[in-house]
Amino acid sequence: MKRSTILTEKNRSRWATIFAAIILLPIGISAIGLDVSRDAEMPDVFLEPVDSKWENCIRDSTEMRFRHMDVLKEIRDKVIRYGIRDEVTLAGCGDCHQNRDQFCDRCHAAASVTLDCFGCHYYPESASERTAIPGGEVKNG
Amino acid sequence: MDRRIFLKKSGPALAGVSGAMSLPILASCSSQDAQADSPLAGKKWGMVIDLTRCQSDCTACMDACRQENNVALHGDPRWDVHWIRRATIRPKDESSGLEEKSVLLMCNQCDNPPCAQVCPVQATYKREDGIVLIDHHRCIGCRYCMIACPYNARFFNYKDNPEWPNKEYPRRSHGVAESCHFCAHLLDKGGRPACVEACEQAGQRALIFGDMNDPESEIAQLVKEGLLKRIRADWGTEPKVYYQGL
Amino acid sequence: MDVQFAKIEGKSTPYYVTVAVLALFSIGGFVATLVMHHHGLHLSGMTNRVPWGLQISMAIFYIGLSAGSLVVSGLYGVFGKMEYKPFARIAAYLAMLFLIAGLLSIFTDQGRVDRVFTKPFTYFNATSMFSINPGLYSGHIMICVFYLWALFKEKGTLTKITSLVVVLWAIGTHTGTGAIFAFVPRELYNSSLLPPSFVSAALSSGAALMICVIVFLFRATKRHLDEELIIWMGRRLLSIFLLVTLYLIMIENVHRLYLADSYEAGRFFLFGGSHSFMFWIGLITIGCVIPAILLFTSGSSSSSPDSSIRPISFRDMRSWTPSSWREWPATRSATWKFCRLSAFSG
């Protein structure tokens, strides 16, 4: 009795297709995710200023909307590498935008972006959580 | 992007491209170039640990450090993280006339830090004011720095830190290494390291901290006297933590 | 000696069983890695005292095997020895696989796996052996592939040129691995003899691996094996590399004991530490002395029991010992005399 082998000359192209499909799977998933996130409801309230010591945001709102991650990284590298602490850091964002749930999580969830900030940096999820902890007045660090 | 920062960022990347062929040249110039307007320029922080004043049963500096920097304490010596810790050293033979000593050990903030030399991602680096610190956003957790450090000052976060006493300062996730950084975040705001403050409040003043480049400072004068010792300076690491009475 | 290669068909039940078992192992390892990185590296059993554990040891063991078997394979081309021809191909193939295994072992050992493929490229640190070695390793794999291609196509001159590059590159690869430990300011790591002894240990384990694999494969498939070949390999390759390794280790430790500066460290390593027995029993006895005795006293067919001991014990112990070395400075700080303080001088 003749058994079929896994890889023969004939079905080689079929295996190649399956292999390529597995390799390209992540790209496909991202494409679908992008499509879904376009339909998702994006929050339009970004700023809830609460008697803040800051008058304006550190950059104008268009730049913040599209480049906030880069802006934060630039400030981060300035602080960590060169000790220049002349700008508001991540903790300082909370002075105006007290509600992480609204300010960060909603949009990132809609865009399916996983944040790696708040495991280490403190940013209370809601304004009530901020006042609940002792010493919760997070100053510009 | 700020042009200066762009240059800073692209420097190491270019170093990567040009590769190992120009190793000796890169070693001297790819690391942080002097930055003209850096607030850190010209400073050289150092610490003197005066063991004649340090009480062996006092834990003020260690507690303050944990409070300030969110240093993890799991209750298991295998995974506890220490930025400043106490060790007892004993004479090798009783007849030598030397007695047991309790010594504070911490990151020695070397001028030639082996940890920064071996870090594959430049997460560990020496700042312009001589402080060796870690960019935890960059650390990949290879633990090469722990192997390279002759002082065993580096510790690794094997677990997530359950405590978070100081919300103003970030804690570390599991999977990155850490060690003392002379409370650089306080220094930049004009303060002093938490352990130094705590030691003074406990009334011992065993930790003396200051700028060694400032000839008026207490530490510069102590160092100038030439009676201080440094641990394992024979490796050429040039530590900036000095011991009195060791 | 005329050598004929035949294609296997991959139809038998044992073949499918092997594939299934290996797949199970891979899935198990993958799940274990995910779990470990979700909960933190403490699940790997490493501590702040011994930060590099079994995974790094195994990685170095694998890289050593890879470099060793690639050199053994390259010898066929360099010296044109037909004796090597039967295993030149499988040696190069295994070299590729073992290097990938070693890299996977290092990869899963990192604390932040998510950053491993981005940060080292963006923030290349030219002074770190961990940055230089990946270049050596990826080059190693590329050269393996090219060399395999040249071997399979039976390109005469090209094989010869490639094999020379292959031998040099493999030696460079393992020199780099040794330098990870050797270029570190600690008594028990810092030794310029460490990279050469890594290389010679790698060569001996590569030869041993080949003996193992060939004996196993030929016996399992009930094919005829030329015993002369195995004896030749054991006597000529394995034994020489083994003695060289032993010699390098001896010099390294004698030098350490001789100098007052590092005497205490050497004594701790050889006699005092909690892992000294590993050095004596694992590295010296099982890894070197027993194989050497077997090799030099055995008759025609008894090189196979030796070959089954060799690759497991020797490199493993060689690379296990470093992880215990880190304990030394901690212990040494407890010793008054050797808390080597040098007075500050200006």
Side-chain angles (χ1 to χ4, degrees):
Chain A
M1 195 183 92
K2 195 188 175 198
R3 270 185 293 171
S4 65
T5 53
I6 291 180
L7 193 63
T8 63
E9 296 286 338
K10 278 178 192 167
N11 62 12
R12 192 173 282 172
S13 64
R14 190 191 303 156
W15 282 103
T17 318
I18 293 173
F19 183 71
I22 293 171
I23 296 291
L24 294 174
L25 195 65
I27 300 174
I29 291 174
S30 328
I32 294 166
L34 208 67
D35 203 40
V36 169
S37 67
R38 196 173 292 150
D39 299 336
E41 189 194 347
M42 297 291 267
D44 47 2
V45 182
F46 284 98
L47 193 69
E48 332 81 57
V50 193
D51 77 276
S52 163
K53 50 187 169 183
W54 313 106
E55 279 185 19
N56 297 311
C57 200
I58 48 170
R59 303 276 194 282
D60 67 73
S61 56
T62 318
E63 189 180 358
M64 282 314 274
R65 196 170 285 230
F66 293 106
R67 281 192 66 241
H68 59 276
M69 61 305 263
D70 299 326
V71 170
L72 283 172
K73 278 177 190 160
E74 279 162 28
I75 296 174
R76 173 190 87 188
D77 287 353
K78 263 200 321 192
V79 168
I80 302 181
R81 298 272 153 177
Y82 312 112
I84 307 169
R85 293 173 195 261
D86 57 351
E87 283 194 272
V88 176
T89 58
L90 186 64
C93 293
D95 284 350
C96 298
H97 316 278
Q98 298 215 335
N99 204 335
R100 188 183 109 201
D101 204 26
Q102 292 283 323
F103 182 58
C104 309
D105 295 348
R106 239 173 98 192
C107 210
H108 286 126
S112 61
V113 173
T114 317
L115 281 186
D116 202 14
C117 309
F118 306 118
C120 303
H121 291 273
Y122 181 68
Y123 203 126
E125 268 190 61
S126 60
S128 57
E129 193 192 323
R130 177 177 295 265
T131 48
I133 56 144
E137 273 305 308
V138 177
K139 283 174 289 201
N140 169 26
Chain B
M1 194 190 284
D2 195 327
R3 183 166 162 270
R4 187 185 65 219
I5 289 173
F6 171 74
L7 288 174
K8 288 282 172 193
K9 278 187 171 173
S10 57
L14 284 174
V17 173
S18 47
M21 283 159 64
S22 46
L23 258 180
I25 312 160
L26 281 172
S28 58
C29 68
S30 81
S31 50
Q32 319 299 327
D33 304 319
Q35 188 165 1
D37 55 345
S38 165
L40 311 173
K43 289 204 178 71
K44 190 178 173 190
W45 298 111
M47 190 184 273
V48 171
I49 299 177
D50 189 345
L51 294 175
T52 55
R53 290 195 204 145
C54 179
Q55 303 288 321
S56 61
D57 54 346
C58 170
T59 59
C61 52
M62 291 169 263
D63 295 342
C65 180
R66 285 191 194 287
Q67 283 295 317
E68 175 60 37
N69 295 303
N70 307 318
V71 181
L73 194 65
H74 301 288
D76 187 327
R78 286 176 295 176
W79 298 310
D80 281 347
V81 180
H82 307 277
W83 285 15
I84 179 163
R85 64 191 199 276
R86 198 180 276 288
T88 308
I89 53 175
R90 293 182 191 84
K92 203 166 158 247
D93 49 352
E94 300 297 321
S95 59
S96 63
L98 300 163
E99 52 197 42
E100 257 185 34
K101 272 213 167 127
S102 178
V103 177
L104 285 176
L105 296 173
M106 59 191 290
C107 171
N108 278 253
Q109 308 289 349
C110 308
D111 240 10
N112 304 320
C115 48
Q117 201 178 7
V118 302
C119 181
V121 292
Q122 297 187 4
T124 303
Y125 58 97
K126 198 179 81 177
R127 230 167 56 157
E128 234 175 291
D129 54 354
I131 295 180
V132 178
L133 33 79
I134 311 177
D135 188 345
H136 293 105
H137 304 96
R138 203 181 277 188
C139 175
I140 58 170
C142 68
R143 307 189 293 293
Y144 198 2
C145 51
M146 301 173 73
I147 295 289
C149 176
Y151 304 98
N152 279 1
R154 278 286 162 100
F155 288 84
F156 187 72
N157 282 289
Y158 286 96
K159 295 173 167 184
D160 271 323
N161 187 358
E163 308 282 326
W164 200 344
N166 179 15
K167 294 279 200 296
E168 284 183 41
Y169 190 73
R171 61 178 178 179
R172 272 72 57 193
S173 69
H174 70 73
V176 294
E178 64 183 56
S179 70
C180 164
H181 61 162
F182 272 172
C183 286
H185 60 296
L186 297 179
L187 286 181
D188 290 348
K189 285 186 259 175
R192 288 192 300 167
C195 52
V196 179
E197 295 281 353
C199 192
E200 202 161 293
Q201 273 169 27
Q204 304 193 6
R205 268 194 109 260
L207 302 178
I208 298 146
F209 182 83
D211 180 5
M212 301 203 305
N213 277 355
D214 174 13
E216 299 298 306
S217 66
E218 189 182 357
I219 182 163
Q221 285 167 5
L222 277 171
V223 169
K224 204 175 162 190
E225 277 176 35
L227 298 170
L228 303 174
K229 287 173 177 170
R230 295 187 289 181
I231 304 178
R232 309 194 65 191
D234 52 326
W235 278 114
T237 51
E238 297 291 321
K240 289 195 285 286
V241 171
Y242 295 82
Y243 285 86
Q244 170 92 277
L246 190 65
Chain C
M1 189 168 19
D2 189 33
V3 183
Q4 294 225 316
F5 292 99
K7 209 171 171 180
I8 59 157
E9 303 211 23
K11 282 181 193 172
S12 60
T13 321
Y15 176 77
Y16 286 114
V17 170
T18 314
V19 170
V21 168
L22 291 178
L24 275 180
F25 270 118
S26 308
I27 294 168
F30 186 68
V31 171
T33 307
L34 284 184
V35 170
M36 185 165 86
H37 285 283
H38 184 70
H39 291 283
L41 243 59
H42 66 279
L43 291 178
S44 67
M46 283 173 281
T47 64
N48 272 321
R49 200 142 191 235
V50 184
W52 276 359
L54 192 61
Q55 271 183 293
I56 292 281
S57 312
M58 289 315 284
I60 289 159
F61 176 45
Y62 288 145
I63 295 168
L65 276 181
S66 169
S69 77
L70 193 57
V71 168
V72 172
S73 166
L75 290 178
Y76 159 67
V78 172
F79 300 112
K81 286 219 184 270
M82 289 309 281
E83 290 93 329
Y84 293 108
K85 200 182 175 187
F87 50 82
R89 293 179 181 186
I90 189 152
Y93 181 63
L94 282 178
M96 197 171 74
L97 290 194
F98 271 113
L99 196 76
I100 294 170
L103 291 181
L104 271 178
S105 189
I106 294 179
F107 171 65
T108 51
D109 187 54
Q110 309 300 302
R112 293 298 301 252
V113 174
D114 49 331
R115 294 173 184 163
V116 171
F117 285 123
T118 52
K119 305 287 178 188
F121 298 100
T122 327
Y123 308 110
F124 185 85
N125 182 6
T127 57
S128 169
M129 284 319 295
F130 257 21
S131 295
I132 297 165
N133 282 348
L136 291 172
Y137 295 157
S138 39
H140 188 104
I141 294 177
M142 304 272 279
I143 286 178
C144 278
V145 173
F146 187 74
Y147 181 55
L148 265 178
W149 174 81
L151 279 178
F152 271 88
K153 294 286 177 193
E154 305 267 0
K155 308 260 184 198
T157 327
L158 189 65
T159 313
K160 203 156 193 173
I161 297 166
T162 321
S163 57
L164 186 64
V165 180
V166 151
V167 169
L168 293 177
W169 196 284
I171 289 172
T173 300
H174 217 51
T175 307
T177 314
I180 292 178
F181 298 95
F183 295 175
V184 150
R186 281 169 183 252
E187 283 90 347
L188 291 173
Y189 290 125
N190 188 318
S191 158
S192 41
L193 281 179
L194 209 55
S197 70
F198 265 57
V199 170
S200 79
L203 295 181
S204 61
S205 45
L209 174 79
M210 275 309 110
I211 295 178
C212 269
V213 166
I214 289 169
V215 170
F216 172 77
L217 277 183
F218 277 66
R219 295 240 168 111
T221 51
K222 298 193 178 62
R223 269 175 284 176
H224 171 69
L225 174 66
D226 186 7
E227 300 251 320
E228 283 298 314
L229 174 74
I230 297 299
I231 293 167
W232 195 91
M233 269 189 91
R235 286 267 164 86
R236 285 289 176 81
L237 285 180
L238 187 48
S239 56
I240 290 173
F241 293 141
L242 216 146
L243 291 180
V244 170
T245 313
L246 206 57
Y247 169 74
L248 288 172
I249 291 171
M250 191 186 79
I251 294 290
E252 188 188 327
N253 282 292
V254 168
H255 167 255
R256 202 175 273 141
L257 286 175
Y258 188 85
L259 295 179
D261 181 54
S262 56
Y263 166 75
E264 200 71 9
R267 210 180 57 99
F268 170 84
F269 176 57
L270 292 180
F271 309 111
S274 55
H275 291 72
S276 296
F277 75 94
M278 269 190 165
F279 176 80
W280 289 110
I281 296 175
L283 178 62
I284 299 297
T285 311
I286 303 175
C288 291
V289 175
I290 292 179
I293 292 171
L294 284 175
L295 277 174
F296 288 114
T297 58
S298 60
S300 59
S301 64
S302 61
S303 47
S304 32
D306 143 60
S307 60
S308 58
I309 307 170
R310 278 278 318 154
I312 309 165
S313 56
F314 180 76
R315 282 290 315 166
D316 212 12
M317 291 308 162
R318 180 80 188 125
S319 49
W320 261 15
T321 37
S323 56
S324 72
W325 292 352
R326 186 178 143 87
E327 288 178 26
W328 157 245
T331 320
R332 110 199 274 272
S333 67
T335 323
W336 174 257
K337 187 184 164 195
F338 283 89
C339 200
R340 284 221 356 134
L341 311 158
S342 41
F344 175 66
S345 51

